[in-house]
Amino acid sequence: MVDVLAAGGASALAVVALQVFQSGPLVAALLALVAYFASQATRTRRAYPPGPRGWPIIRNLLQIPQDNPWFAYSAWADTYGDVVHLEALSDHMVILNTAQAAKDLLDGRSAIYSDRPGSVMADLSGFGIEMPMLSYNDEWRRQRKIVAQSFNSAMIPRYYPIQEHEARRLARGMLERPETLVSQTKTRIAAIIMRVTYGYTVKGEDDPMITVPFAAMDNFSYATEPGVWMVDFIPQLQYLPRWMPGASFLATAERFRELEHKASWSPYLWCKQKVQEGSEEACLVASALSQFEGKMDDEDEAALVWAASSGLGGGLDTNMSTIFTFLLAMTRYPHVQAKAQAEIDEVVGTERLPSITDRPSLPYVRSVIAEVFRWYPATPLGLPHALRQDDVYKEHLLPKSSIVIPNVWRMTHDPSVYPAPDEFRPERFGGSDGEMKKATDLVFGFGRRACPGAQFAEGSIFAIVATILATCTVLPKTDGQGAPIIPAMEYTSGIIVFPKHIVCDIKPRSQRAQELLEDYLSRSE
Ligand code: HEM
């Protein structure tokens, strides 16, 4: 009997209730009640997926690691399997440790797995309206459509000249001032995104059109940091009067909101002005404005502003992280660098610079990039999804509102899929684009929330990687005795991660490569 109830017995009882309805409403009502309670029993009886044993009431709260949690989650994968369940107080968390589980649920059942967990502090600070944070609702659809239109396959080649131009400026800048490569990379990647989004040409590292969004992004990281804001645990605190001791977070949130507003509206209004003057460059905002043909209400305009600003939010740190991981790999694996450079010399020659259209003829460079994505994904736990309703997977109950975390780190370091996963070995893909795509797809996320800027990002990464390989040699720094200092494989923690030690020398590959860069830049600047 217990088995019958657990395996759909509740609905069997409901059918019986219907059948006897004619024989008397009272009997039918009683049976319906039994069916209801049986369905509740089914829900509680069906087990959650396995996971570490917690404490009463707080459950796993103290076991959820703060730093680099993907390592602990991956260790739990060995013990508990591909889907791990955790509970903190009354919140449920589900970790997906295999590509198959992520595909089955986040891709296959995306209609119910596409929400995002809320954050009260992020909402108060004005970040809740940004696309990556939005629930799976009409506002999200509206913003997503705007971004998707500008970054679909047909549009991508239009951005190649911008991506190549900035990649070449970056390579020259790194050769001239290798000690500032971090800030230069940030500026040049931001320059690509600002030009494609707003048609705006960044003036330099101090240009407020990028420094203000950078400051707003720092605020975003702080506002969304788990465990920092009491209001995220007790939402009622948001209604405290501002003068009350302990309510200073409200003033902080207001400061964040004002800066976020400025960061998002200033470049938009700049572009709108250009469109009104008829002097705009083709870009995301200009093309969206032309589609509205002057019939845009306030909601449409706000959606366009937030959709546009999500490009910098989504694209800056993720691209930077990927480029820094590439530089780290090149300092640690000089033979890989030499092999990729040899391929470029053979295919592109030494009389011109590589372009993104060379990508199909450079399979080893493509493998290097796929291996960078796999070796240290910029977002080792992707972005969390949230589950809209109770679901059952492999006989286990995944409860409504669970935070669902794809453990991308584990997926790209599963030794049964990627032997010796910590080694940087582009040869592991055997030159197969299908194998490379399997790894790359994982780092750009899942289902309806998968990164809308993926193809565009791949273009920027290819332009930068191929240009650096063609024109520079990335070397470890040396100590007083001339011995190489190999940077440790240490990364920051957080949603988007960076190598802790971005320490390398950048030397020109040849006199000719440097001349090519100078020739190109003197013609285009
Ligand atoms: C190497 C570069 C990049 C990586 C690794 C990356 C990765 C990701 C990941 C993992 C997600 C979450 C997917 C999910 O929820 O399952 C995401 C979302 C997003 N990305 Fe990217 N991204 C990159 C570049 C970009 C660029 C260049 C843009 C825009 C120009 C962009 C815009 C976005 C936006 C707007 C979202 C939120 C989508 C949504 O919530 O519906 N990303 N990205």
Side-chain angles (χ1 to χ4, degrees):
M1 183 60 184
V2 169
D3 282 342
V4 172
L5 279 182
S11 52
L13 275 173
V15 171
V16 175
L18 272 176
Q19 282 170 349
V20 297
F21 189 72
Q22 291 90 351
S23 66
L26 186 62
V27 179
L30 276 174
L31 281 171
L33 262 179
V34 173
Y36 170 78
F37 285 114
S39 77
Q40 295 303 300
T42 309
R43 185 188 158 165
T44 47
R45 198 167 293 130
R46 202 185 289 273
Y48 298 134
R53 206 182 157 82
W55 297 86
I57 301 172
I58 60 166
R59 308 283 180 198
N60 305 109
L61 187 65
L62 303 178
Q63 289 156 296
I64 298 173
Q66 291 293 310
D67 280 340
N68 309 90
W70 43 95
F71 294 130
Y73 296 163
S74 301
W76 286 337
D78 292 332
T79 313
Y80 303 109
D82 55 356
V83 179
V84 173
H85 173 261
L86 297 166
E87 228 176 324
L89 301 170
S90 59
D91 290 335
H92 295 269
M93 217 159 104
V94 174
I95 318 282
L96 306 178
N97 289 310
T98 59
Q100 191 57 52
K103 282 199 180 88
D104 288 346
L105 299 176
L106 304 183
D107 292 347
R109 303 181 193 174
S110 60
I112 57 169
Y113 279 85
S114 295
D115 258 334
R116 293 275 192 225
S119 154
V120 182
M121 185 60 184
D123 287 348
L124 292 172
S125 309
F127 299 119
I129 189 68
E130 296 274 2
M131 195 210 299
M133 299 292 291
L134 281 171
S135 292
Y136 181 53
N137 58 21
D138 285 345
E139 176 60 25
W140 171 80
R141 272 182 209 95
R142 207 199 295 235
Q143 290 192 26
R144 178 99 191 180
K145 194 169 155 205
I146 294 169
V147 172
Q149 273 170 354
S150 281
F151 293 119
N152 64 34
S153 319
M155 296 293 284
I156 293 299
R158 296 186 189 194
Y159 309 133
Y160 290 175
I162 297 171
Q163 291 166 310
E164 286 161 5
H165 177 71
E166 295 299 339
R168 291 168 188 181
R169 288 191 69 178
L170 179 60
R172 183 185 59 182
M174 282 184 174
L175 286 168
E176 284 174 354
R177 288 174 294 126
E179 66 287 355
T180 59
L181 71 86
V182 170
S183 63
Q184 290 189 59
T185 307
K186 187 170 185 176
T187 307
R188 302 284 44 112
I189 289 172
I192 295 175
I193 298 173
M194 293 299 283
R195 187 104 180 260
V196 165
T197 310
Y198 303 102
Y200 179 82
T201 302
V202 170
K203 310 279 183 298
E205 289 183 18
D206 300 331
D207 188 336
M209 209 68 112
I210 53 170
T211 53
V212 175
F214 290 170
M217 286 165 64
D218 288 345
N219 291 346
F220 174 81
S221 306
Y222 189 34
T224 52
E225 209 170 309
V228 169
W229 306 98
M230 191 57 80
V231 70
D232 282 336
F233 299 103
I234 311 172
Q236 289 75 8
L237 291 180
Q238 64 187 296
Y239 306 113
L240 285 178
R242 294 191 48 170
W243 50 263
M244 210 164 187
S248 64
F249 71 92
L250 289 171
T252 307
E254 191 171 315
R255 234 178 343 99
F256 287 1
R257 181 185 282 271
E258 278 163 15
L259 196 74
E260 172 64 357
H261 194 272
K262 185 171 172 201
S264 302
W265 280 85
S266 299
Y268 167 77
L269 291 173
W270 179 90
C271 181
K272 189 177 172 186
Q273 169 86 26
K274 292 280 165 202
V275 170
Q276 282 160 355
E277 294 165 3
S279 59
E280 79 280 9
E281 256 192 37
C283 61
L284 180 149
V285 169
S287 94
L289 284 172
S290 75
Q291 281 173 23
F292 281 113
E293 292 170 340
K295 294 184 222 90
M296 188 166 60
D297 61 24
D298 289 352
E299 277 188 8
D300 291 329
E301 183 163 44
L304 174 53
V305 170
W306 301 120
S309 73
S310 69
L312 206 52
L316 182 68
D317 284 355
T318 45
N319 271 293
M320 281 171 64
S321 165
T322 309
I323 294 303
F324 296 148
T325 295
F326 162 71
L327 294 174
L328 181 61
M330 294 304 98
T331 51
R332 292 175 67 95
Y333 295 85
H335 66 281
V336 170
Q337 179 170 210
K339 193 168 166 184
Q341 286 171 327
E343 183 182 69
I344 292 179
D345 290 350
E346 198 186 318
V347 173
V348 178
T350 49
E351 287 308 307
R352 69 175 178 89
L353 295 168
S355 70
I356 303 178
T357 50
D358 292 315
R359 193 162 32 174
S361 334
L362 294 168
Y364 193 71
V365 176
R366 292 202 304 279
S367 312
V368 169
I369 294 171
E371 183 67 346
V372 167
F373 284 134
R374 185 204 66 79
W375 195 46
Y376 224 111
T379 54
L381 297 177
L383 282 192
H385 289 223
L387 176 56
R388 187 160 270 196
Q389 64 188 54
D390 280 359
D391 192 23
V392 174
Y393 183 61
K394 296 192 175 164
E395 295 301 312
H396 290 119
L397 173 68
L398 310 188
K400 178 180 171 174
S401 304
S402 291
I403 299 171
V404 184
I405 297 186
N407 187 358
V408 177
W409 171 268
R410 168 69 183 188
M411 296 174 205
T412 63
H413 287 75
D414 182 341
S416 67
V417 184
Y418 298 110
D422 294 335
E423 275 180 33
F424 189 87
R425 207 192 280 167
E427 289 75 10
R428 67 173 74 247
F429 301 113
S432 151
D433 283 303
E435 290 304 311
M436 294 177 213
K437 189 169 174 336
K438 276 187 204 161
T440 306
D441 279 354
L442 296 172
V443 304
F444 284 108
F446 302 93
R448 297 180 197 185
R449 301 304 292 238
C451 178
Q455 288 187 59
F456 168 60
E458 287 187 83
S460 300
I461 301 291
F462 181 86
I464 294 172
V465 165
T467 307
I468 291 177
L469 287 169
T471 59
C472 311
T473 300
V474 182
L475 296 162
K477 284 198 176 296
T478 47
D479 65 15
Q481 278 74 49
I485 306 168
I486 306 294
M489 278 298 292
E490 287 174 356
Y491 273 69
T492 59
S493 194
I495 291 186
I496 302 173
V497 299
F498 298 94
K500 281 189 184 166
H501 316 283
I502 309 164
V503 193
C504 56
D505 259 344
I506 311 273
K507 301 274 186 232
R509 250 196 98 202
S510 66
Q511 174 76 20
R512 184 69 194 127
Q514 222 168 349
E515 283 166 10
L516 286 173
L517 268 183
E518 290 306 332
D519 281 359
Y520 164 81
L521 290 167
S522 63
R523 274 183 283 114
S524 62
E525 282 176 344

